[in-house]
Amino acid sequence: MVSLSYVDDERDGRGWAFREHRGPDPVNGFTLLEQAYDATEKGYPGHISVPVLWDRRCGRIVSSNFPDLTFDLATQFEEWADRETDLYPEALRPEIDKLNAWLYHDVEAVATALEGALKDADADVRAHARHALTSG
């Protein structure tokens, strides 16, 4: 079974958190995503990012590589999947791969640059920029 947990939209000095309005992680009761990384590798020194794929049986993160997660769910978990839903249809794979390459390279680069620039901005500027980016 695959379940879904949501971290809060806002990060603070503690990083990504499971806050009150969405509740703690329902699988492990984590309140910080850092706890999942620490359970996977004690004292994890790297970047803590979302999304992650958590393996309940092994009790650890098995992937945090967001470009591959949809592909993994579509191709590596077929025996547990709803076969009527194809997340990575063979006929559309070249187009999907091209779009993902653009998203990963260009959009992620802009988002990372913006995040760095906003670190020095006040809370109102950050909130306005975040709203502009997400209100499509």
Side-chain angles (χ1 to χ4, degrees), residues 66-112:
F66 76 89
D68 295 334
L69 282 176
T70 302
F71 305 132
D72 291 344
L73 289 171
T75 61
Q76 304 300 312
F77 296 89
E78 290 176 310
E79 69 181 273
W80 301 282
D82 174 356
R83 303 225 185 258
E84 293 182 26
T85 304
D86 189 351
L87 298 174
Y88 193 42
E90 191 76 43
L92 296 176
R93 287 181 184 186
E95 188 176 342
I96 292 169
D97 293 344
K98 182 178 178 181
L99 177 61
N100 279 337
W102 173 75
L103 287 170
Y104 183 71
H105 181 266
D106 294 343
V107 175
E108 179 65 16
V110 169
T112 301

